[in-house]
Amino acid sequence: MTVTSVERRPETGAKKKQVQGGLLDPRMLMTSLPDALRKLDPRTLWRNPVMLIVEIGAVWSTVLAIVDPNWFGWLIVFWLWLTVVFANLAEAVAEGRGKAQAESLRKTKADTMARRLVGWEPGQPGREEEIAAPLLRQGDTVVVEAGQVIPGDGDVIEGIASVDESAITGESAPVIRESGGDRSAVTGGTTVLSDRIVVRITQKPGESFIDRMIALVEGANRQKTPNEIALNILLAALTMIFIFAVATLQPLAIFSKANNPGVPDSLSLTADGVSGIVMVSLLVCLIPTTIGALLSAIGIAGMDRLVQRNVLAMSGRAVEAAGDVNTLLLDKTGTITLGNRQASDFVPLEGVSPEQLADAAQLSSLADETPEGRSIVVFAKSNFGLRARTPGELVNAHWVEFSAATRMSGVDLENGHLLRKGAASTVAQWVRDQGGSVPAQLGDIVDGISAAGGTPLVVGQVVDKRAEVLGVIHLKDVVKQGMRERFDEMRKMGIRTVMITGDNPLTAKAIADEAGVDDFLAEATPEDKLALIKQEQAGGKLVAMTGDGTNDAPALAQADVGVAMNTGTSAAKEAGNMVDLDSDPTKLIEIVEIGKQLLITRGALTTFSIANDIAKYFAIIPAMFVALFPGLDLLNIMRLHSPQSAILSAVIFNALVIIALIPLSLRGVQYTPSSASKLLSRNLYIYGLGGIIAPFIGIKLIDLVVQFLPGM
């Protein structure tokens, strides 16, 4: 058995690390509170213009309350400051969720020493010196043996070893890393379990995977995405509009009071020292404070959900692009199919019984330690009742192991009985060399299996010096369970799926039909992949793909979302804008779903926030001016206790709704694959209508409580 077979491992790494993403832990709130208070610094808050306006209003209201103290003014000031703190708390909680993971990652860097090789060349060991891992530079060569920690990211240039990557991926099963090929990349902080490898460092100081993950989970590397910047501009514009709108209410109120001298100040809310606080309160309730407070937390939480699934995103732009993807390019092997062809049928020739073919197929495969060979042994045992046999049970037998050169495996028994199993042309030629003939029926069977997308392996034997072909083993590239359903979901989302494979067109079409993908690219070369991506992008589509080899690097760099496997080469990881630490090609589908969930969450809460503002407008304005303009009483449907209680209730609701929505912003709105029109309708019904109704109910309930406070 080849040692690289250890690489196949269950999809447990990402799932083991997934946690409940949106439930607020009171201890987390208390831990994040100091960070929220530090964010009150205007030099930090200026990046969020909506909340900066709220803080300026809170400062002004505080000054007015000090100049002319009263219960109503101080209650408003208290809740205005809470609004700013709650907004900062949402971001602090989102950032705080990654700090524990960042701390565990830092431990993998502490006190690691490196055995650097000076003057190393192939065949020459070089001189060894021990230095601290942070002092390594790009291009240095180090040696790592069993039990030692790999000091930095790099490529194996000599040797083969079993490596424990659980510190990075959370997956306890070891993997194989070896020089050459696409499984040569190693990550700093992982541990060599066996053997000895020589690694060439590819990272620059401070730019290792661990460094980038620490920066990512702590939010240090999170840049605002284009959509987020655009939404911030929209929110800032709305804020400016409401500032001018609210500013006009003060002269209107003064003019109206002058024409209604009999209206008491307690009703008109225009007494000196109070009107300024009222104007600030109205402004804070009408500008989109809810989405302004939660926007940053939504983005951080989206990145965090990727980290929970062991995906390292180089930028928030990549996560956002994943939500807008139109075309998915998926490798067949390992993504759509299991990757190892498995025996699915024994097709005997005329005159040969199925049991005879099964017995010969099993015996000739005992020396074949490839996954295909083992599947033949298991298939014969489970479907024909043949007990499991081992080479050691057959005395004086000569075993012929499978090799890429011979393309055959088999056994020579002591009674002159010879058995061979392998590629159709190879076994057919072997039968001819032994003096036998190949019937025409064999060609028809082989062609039929190939046309169906399978791989035919022929079984031949020599008995009493008579050579003959017994039949054909049908190896099938098994499509992973549930893939057709997942592709159906992608189709509902408007995403086109394309299977990429090196198989011939007939085989590719058969697997594509079985899996349910929309299209396929057969006999694909790196140039073909790159051309397909450019063709899709020329049509205005966003493309996502996965890859792990150096030959995938150009396509990964060209794709809008390029997910490189952690087991892949350094070139692939540098070219992509995401790295899957579990090296699970199917993760691309999850990444797209996370991206869409991020966009839907942002859209849903924006809809809720704007609908909130509309509802609060109709709740507050009538209560404020009904004494001056009795006709407004028709709009005062909530019948709030007094203008003061109406203002205070709205301010309190405005602050509390931010806290209430933090879990949703962290967990994300539940995403169900469906068309854009259905998603829009659902968004409007739930968050639009809900955003209008919630303030009426919430403000009325709060008013029933605050009406008993002094000054109400």
Side-chain angles (χ1 to χ4, degrees), residues 481-616:
Q481 187 174 4
M483 292 307 296
R484 175 175 284 275
E485 289 75 14
R486 298 196 77 170
F487 291 141
D488 288 341
E489 292 178 356
M490 295 289 111
R491 204 168 291 111
K492 290 179 183 177
M493 293 153 46
I495 296 175
R496 177 170 170 262
T497 53
V498 181
M499 183 184 77
I500 307 295
T501 178
D503 291 338
N504 63 70
L506 281 177
T507 301
K509 185 179 186 308
I511 296 175
D513 291 342
E514 182 179 355
V517 296
D518 297 313
D519 202 354
F520 65 90
L521 179 63
E523 298 176 342
T525 64
E527 293 77 13
D528 293 333
K529 296 179 185 178
L530 188 60
L532 178 59
I533 293 174
K534 289 181 177 180
Q535 178 184 338
E536 293 289 322
Q537 291 173 333
K541 298 178 180 178
L542 296 183
V543 182
M545 72 160 291
T546 61
D548 59 1
T550 301
N551 62 343
D552 292 323
L556 286 171
Q558 180 67 34
D560 300 283
V561 179
V563 183
M565 302 294 103
N566 191 37
T567 56
T569 62
S570 297
K573 290 190 283 188
E574 289 298 326
N577 50 23
M578 291 188 187
V579 177
D580 177 18
L581 299 178
D582 290 327
S583 299
D584 174 13
T586 61
K587 192 80 67 69
L588 179 60
I589 298 175
E590 290 184 46
I591 291 171
V592 170
E593 291 175 347
I594 291 172
K596 286 195 173 294
Q597 185 184 38
L598 170 65
L599 296 179
I600 290 172
T601 301
R602 186 185 296 159
L605 292 184
T606 300
T607 303
F608 184 88
S609 178
I610 295 175
N612 248 323
D613 298 335
I614 296 172
K616 284 182 287 187

Side-chain angles (χ1 to χ4, degrees), residues 325-613:
V325 160
N326 307 106
T327 304
L328 276 182
L329 305 187
L330 301 164
D331 276 334
K332 182 204 72 173
T333 305
T335 304
I336 296 174
T337 65
L338 293 176
N340 294 327
R341 296 175 183 267
Q342 299 181 356
S344 62
D345 193 16
F346 292 153
V347 184
L349 267 62
E350 290 183 5
V352 179
S353 67
E355 291 75 17
Q356 182 184 359
L357 175 59
D359 183 67
Q362 187 188 59
L363 278 173
S364 59
S365 299
L366 291 178
D368 182 0
E369 290 292 345
T370 63
E372 292 82 2
R374 293 195 299 273
S375 77
I376 294 171
V377 175
V378 172
F379 185 79
K381 174 188 174 184
S382 59
N383 289 272
F384 292 89
L386 298 175
R387 67 181 182 85
R389 292 177 282 189
T390 61
E393 295 180 22
L394 300 177
V395 183
N396 297 327
H398 172 68
W399 297 96
V400 179
E401 296 184 1
F402 177 83
S403 71
T406 63
R407 302 175 66 197
M408 283 194 307
S409 67
V411 59
D412 297 340
L413 303 176
E414 59 180 345
N415 56 3
H417 186 188
L418 310 180
L419 291 169
R420 294 291 185 273
K421 174 231 48 181
S425 59
T426 304
V427 174
Q429 186 59 47
W430 178 80
V431 169
R432 294 189 188 97
D433 292 342
Q434 299 297 322
S437 62
V438 177
Q441 182 190 5
L442 178 65
D444 296 336
I445 296 175
V446 168
D447 291 342
I449 292 175
S450 297
T455 300
L457 294 181
V458 175
V459 179
Q461 71 172 2
V462 176
V463 178
D464 298 330
K465 298 183 179 181
R466 184 172 64 88
E468 61 179 341
V469 176
L470 296 178
V472 183
I473 302 168
H474 183 177
L475 292 181
K476 186 178 180 182
D477 206 349
V478 180
V479 174
K480 290 183 177 179
Q481 187 174 4
M483 292 307 296
R484 175 175 284 275
E485 289 75 14
R486 298 196 77 170
F487 291 141
D488 288 341
E489 292 178 356
M490 295 289 111
R491 204 168 291 111
K492 290 179 183 177
M493 293 153 46
I495 296 175
R496 177 170 170 262
T497 53
V498 181
M499 183 184 77
I500 307 295
T501 178
D503 291 338
N504 63 70
L506 281 177
T507 301
K509 185 179 186 308
I511 296 175
D513 291 342
E514 182 179 355
V517 296
D518 297 313
D519 202 354
F520 65 90
L521 179 63
E523 298 176 342
T525 64
E527 293 77 13
D528 293 333
K529 296 179 185 178
L530 188 60
L532 178 59
I533 293 174
K534 289 181 177 180
Q535 178 184 338
E536 293 289 322
Q537 291 173 333
K541 298 178 180 178
L542 296 183
V543 182
M545 72 160 291
T546 61
D548 59 1
T550 301
N551 62 343
D552 292 323
L556 286 171
Q558 180 67 34
D560 300 283
V561 179
V563 183
M565 302 294 103
N566 191 37
T567 56
T569 62
S570 297
K573 290 190 283 188
E574 289 298 326
N577 50 23
M578 291 188 187
V579 177
D580 177 18
L581 299 178
D582 290 327
S583 299
D584 174 13
T586 61
K587 192 80 67 69
L588 179 60
I589 298 175
E590 290 184 46
I591 291 171
V592 170
E593 291 175 347
I594 291 172
K596 286 195 173 294
Q597 185 184 38
L598 170 65
L599 296 179
I600 290 172
T601 301
R602 186 185 296 159
L605 292 184
T606 300
T607 303
F608 184 88
S609 178
I610 295 175
N612 248 323
D613 298 335

Side-chain angles (χ1 to χ4, degrees), residues 15 61 99 105 112 132 152 180 182 190 243 260 326 345 392 403 413 446 496 519 587 632 653 691:
K15 294 181 174 57
S61 299
K99 288 186 176 179
L105 289 170
T112 301
D182 293 339
T190 57
I243 287 176
N260 294 274
N326 307 106
D345 193 16
S403 71
L413 303 176
V446 168
R496 177 170 170 262
D519 202 354
K587 192 80 67 69
L632 289 176
F653 176 83

Side-chain angles (χ1 to χ4, degrees), residues 113-320:
M113 299 299 293
R115 297 165 57 189
R116 183 167 63 181
L117 296 177
V118 179
W120 180 91
E121 292 181 6
Q124 298 182 12
R127 177 173 57 86
E128 185 177 312
E129 63 179 13
E130 189 172 71
I131 66 169
L135 299 179
L136 288 173
R137 295 293 181 266
Q138 192 174 30
D140 283 349
T141 303
V142 297
V143 60
V144 192
E145 296 183 342
Q148 296 179 344
V149 175
I150 297 174
D153 300 347
D155 291 325
V156 179
I157 56 177
E158 181 180 276
I160 181 172
S162 175
V163 179
D164 176 11
E165 296 186 340
S166 58
I168 304 296
T169 67
E171 175 58 63
S172 58
V175 296
I176 296 299
R177 296 290 175 262
E178 57 184 327
S179 59
D182 293 339
R183 291 192 173 91
S184 61
V186 290
T187 305
T190 57
T191 304
V192 173
L193 299 180
S194 67
D195 302 293
R196 173 186 183 275
I197 53 176
V198 176
V199 177
R200 175 166 289 128
I201 301 298
T202 58
Q203 73 184 45
K204 295 179 181 178
E207 296 183 5
S208 68
F209 259 54
I210 294 180
D211 291 319
R212 283 187 282 181
M213 281 203 70
I214 291 172
L216 175 68
V217 298
E218 289 189 328
N221 260 4
R222 201 189 82 85
Q223 302 295 322
K224 291 186 183 296
T225 62
N227 283 350
E228 195 172 348
I229 293 172
L231 185 54
N232 264 319
I233 294 173
L234 173 63
L235 297 182
L238 289 174
T239 300
M240 294 303 297
I241 291 172
F242 278 115
I243 287 176
F244 287 114
V246 171
T248 62
L249 293 178
Q250 178 71 318
L252 175 63
I254 294 173
F255 174 79
S256 300
K257 184 173 183 292
N259 288 280
N260 294 274
V263 178
D265 288 338
S266 60
L267 294 180
S268 65
L269 286 174
T270 58
D272 292 340
V274 177
S275 59
I277 293 178
V278 171
M279 293 301 107
V280 171
S281 303
L282 181 60
L283 175 64
V284 169
C285 289
L286 297 186
I287 64 176
T289 50
T290 306
I291 186 60
L294 299 174
L295 187 58
S296 182
I298 293 169
I300 294 172
M303 300 281 283
D304 186 59
R305 281 193 289 275
L306 277 181
V307 173
Q308 290 173 21
R309 289 164 175 80
N310 280 351
V311 177
L312 176 60
M314 305 306 178
S315 69
R317 183 189 295 266
V319 186
E320 197 170 83

